[in-house]
Amino acid sequence: MEYIITYHCENSYKNPVSGAHWQFLVIPLEDDTQKIESINFENSLLEKGEYSINGFGFKTLRFKTSKTFSKVTFTVQLKLWKENINPFNFTPETDPTGSFDILDRLDFKTNHQTFLKSSKLTTLVNQEKFSYTFSKDLSIFQNLQNLNNFLFEHLTFETNQTAVNTTLEEVITKQKGVCQDFAHLFCAMGRENGVPTRYVSGYLHQGNGYFRDSQMHAWVESFIPTIGWIGFDPCNGILAATDYIKVAHGRDYNDCPPIKGVLFTSGENVTSYKVQVESAQQ
Amino acid sequence: MLARVANNLFWMGRYIERSEHIARYLNVNYFSSLDAPHQLSQSRQFVLRSMLFMVGSPEKDDTKELVESEVLYKIGMDPNDPFSILSNVRYARENANSARDLISTELYEAINKFYHYVNNYDADLFIRNSLHDFTVNVTEMTAVLRGKMRGTLLHDEIYAIIMLGINIERATQIIRMINAKHQDALMAQGSYGDKFSNSYEWTTLLKCAESYDMMRRFYKKSPNSISTLEFLILNPNCPRSVMNSLNQVCKHVKVLDPSKKYDKTSTSFLVGRVRAEYQYKYIKEIEEDIQGFIEDILANLVAISEEMEKEFFNY
Amino acid sequence: MGKIQNQIFSSYQRDPVLYDEIFNNKGEIKDIYSRLFELYGGHTIKEYVHLNDKAKSSFFNQGITFQVYGEKESTEKIFPFDLFPRIIDPKEWEIIERGAIQRSKALNLFLWDIYHDQKIIKQGVVPLDLISSSANYLDQMIGLDPPGKIYNHISGTDIIKHNDGNYYVLEDNIRCPSGVSYVICNRTALKRALFGVFNHYKTHTVTNYAENLLDLLETVKPNGIDIPNVVVLTPGMYNSAFYEHSYLAKTMGVELVEGRDLFVENDFVYMKTTRGPERVDVIYRRVDDAFIDPLEFRADSALGVPGLFAAYKKGNVTLANAPGTGVADDKAIYTYMPDIIKYYLDEEPILNNVHTYHCSKPDELKYVLEHINELVIKPVDEAGGYGISIGNRLTKEQIEKVKAEVKAEPRKYVAQPIMSLSVHPTYIDDTESFEQRHVDLRTFTILGKDKEFVLKGGLTRVALKRGNLIVNSSQGGGSKDTWVLKE
């Protein structure tokens, strides 16, 4: 499958900015299933961009300027090849108890501590109100699928209820949120049950002709002993398949925001994003 | 050298030089006015206004009765007034602090001592009866600093940058003094014997620039407007003259930019151009329009300073 | 009270319970101090006061001061300096030095391990919790190989002598330990004031610190660099340790930079000079992890360099100390030091550790709550002597308050027996006489690639308030010149 992805972002500032650095984490990860065929990026300040990496090794795109401005736009456009993926194409766990035993092992916990500990945005509180406990009778995969469905059913997708720094306490109280909140809750509950789970940031292809303003998507990946990392999208209640184009993962949103900026200015700013994912063949 | 630190050293030089000139201007004007031959020159109000004019904070209200102690405090010791000697010394030390790894321990300690001296000086005492003691000490300590710069720093980029600051500031301050005294001479003229060109203010001006003795030796007659201006502006051998300062600036900027190629955008080019203009000037041309000359040269000095900022201090 | 026959010590009160560094428990002067004792006895207390004032103004004029931020205006203070030096016997020093190196090396191996294979955790020697719940453990450092495999290039080890006469380590400081410049200033000041006394002792120099630091920093240069460009990164002149930063830059002969002097391009670091950009290879940074790169860590940091961490991760620049090193000076790690030393070096610890109770362990928490008046309670992650409660100094209400705090967040606290720091005669301004004051010792160890160095000297810190055990300068501590004698 071939996709054409456009990431566009526009920032306006109340007071003039006299210099800035930006770092974008919007370039899809390249692995056996995803390959970038071409890429093009530009910005309204005509600064040259450079590739780098973030702290977890994911590819970033950076710009800096010493110009004075009060509005700036960035556009990244790329063509990507993605392998057709059947998310169920793995050898299932033969022995659920054995899998749970592995989760309990010290070396397993140590290897995966990064995605087992709670982070700022994945800290669970008032669990008596909202929790999900795994059943030892089911496979871990089955448990995770159930968790996926549980969140899909119990949380309502609604924009403008939460922001990128909303804590889980608030999300649970409202039982509303956007894809980040679904993902954060999944991470927290997966980890709570001893399954290494990481937050994934990327693009979701929602069918051509979908031109409504869209943002980047967020889902999760959980590590199942003997199988490996499997992607779940609690926001849509499904497994991550061919339509899911991964950019990066981290402990939570804070490890993989699409844009980070360091600006020499004071006062507010308004940011708007537009993300478009089209499949090339149709 | 780091661009930011170079900028700080440049300003350290400027602030040290500035504090010295202000101190000397206070001292000379105050004390020479006490027995000045002209009535107006003796007037307290006249002197206080001249002082404020020189530091760049002129009193605009002609009718206002200035209070001596307030004016002295403002120019000498007011920590909240950016023009005061105290503030200048503070800035100088702050700039030295940020570059203390680059300057000699001896120079740093001398600046630090200077700062503590000024900072701990009893403001009351200063206003009441220690104007002389304070200003003389400030000028002497700056002389010590110049000695430490010359004697304990490697004469390289760092030294060049400090000297650039000092000389640009010196030229600027000399012009400011000329401006102030020119104003005074215009105002104080009229009665017998001390018309504009023979005004007592020229003598005061030369003393403010510590150039009276030199001038007398050179001209062997009483200073008048034209000989004073010629000496302070055009004489390259007078260490306080604008010409001498420009020569120094020219010499030191070459350390930062040793290239000899023709580059009309470089600071070095601009400095050379400005210097050449005054090098071959007749004093008569200046005297025809002193005010115009003062504005011109100040604008040139600002332009040089800005060019330097762009070329060397950009961070 | 023992007998003390010496003019300037005539009013010296010796508390026999305390371990006095210069008098034995019979009140006799120890051999190593006897010559000094005589020499100082030749002065009248008047002369002493004079010398003391001179020394103070010398610090002031040299600008060796730190800012104290008050309500209205900040004032400049000198770090109080005592004219009576502390002397360390060469045999004792040999132990301290070996012990400090042993600890630094063990910590370095520990850091490598917890950012790579994590064997020590998998084998159950230290609990996983120590890293997974530490705010100072940086997941970004996992799998990263710092140049020369060194994390804690510079360590400051805080050591005390207990009333049993043995040295104990209280703390390992491996983030940005400060104080080394005072070691050198104290020596200079003492030389200026009482140069004569140096003729009677063969004392090791302390002025070779900077050259050794530069030398060792050059051994951890990034790959492919011949002669590295080393810089010192400071938060700026308003930082309380700015004097030290400028001192180190000056004596190493390298640039002292602030974050705004540096920039990153294509993952290389450059500084902005009067002649354009110049590449930087090794950064001795005195800026905390959280502030080094606003694009990776705290976005509101104005002290850092955007993109610095990526440049580091790509191996194009060395940071000393390495990011994420702070995890190993958590007080919780300290308590495992004997195990860590044995695990990596297969050696017995040369320097003692103070026994520590972990409030995170239920049985130890119980002991702590029951014996709180015999213990010192310390927060795990505070530096500078803040948040410490000394059990036998607390009122009933205070005890209850501390107990409640510990119970609420046991992971945040450890407890140790109250150690009795040794005392040393110290000149006290207010009484114009010598009095006993508690002292500790901070040593400075530098690790390079296959090289190490311990400064033969160290910072003897003095708790100037009578009876006070906290020696930090921010809490009213002073310092003494410290002589390590040659054999």
Side-chain angles (χ1 to χ4, degrees), chain B residues 1-4 6 93-94 97-98 100-101 103-105 108-109 112-113 116 157 255-256 312 315, chain C residues 60-63 76 192 237-238 242-243 246 250 255-258 260-261 271-275:
Chain B
M1 185 181 6
L2 290 174
R4 175 181 56 81
R93 192 238 195 179
E94 200 147 292
N97 267 347
S98 78
R100 69 189 288 180
D101 54 312
I103 57 180
S104 64
T105 312
Y108 179 79
E109 286 192 26
N112 197 45
K113 258 190 191 161
H116 285 300
E157 251 189 315
V255 178
L256 296 190
F312 305 114
Y315 63 94
Chain C
F60 214 64
N61 286 335
Q62 290 177 72
E76 266 172 59
R192 283 188 188 183
M237 53 188 277
Y238 299 105
F242 180 74
Y243 169 72
S246 68
K250 182 177 190 152
E255 293 292 349
L256 176 66
V257 303
E258 294 181 16
R260 56 189 162 145
D261 296 322
M271 59 182 169
K272 301 170 196 166
T273 78
T274 49
R275 294 176 193 227

Side-chain angles (χ1 to χ4, degrees), chain C residues 12 16 23 25 31-32 40 51 55 67-68 134 137 154 167 170 173 185 207 209 214 270 376 383 411 414 441 463 483:
Chain C
Y12 190 70
F23 298 105
N25 53 12
D31 282 351
I32 200 168
Y40 274 56
L51 286 173
Q67 300 277 335
V68 179
S134 167
Y137 183 81
I154 296 104
Y167 284 107
L170 285 193
N173 298 278
C185 294
T207 49
Y209 181 77
L214 183 61
Y270 299 88
V376 184
R411 165 69 180 86
V414 294
L441 175 68
W483 296 359

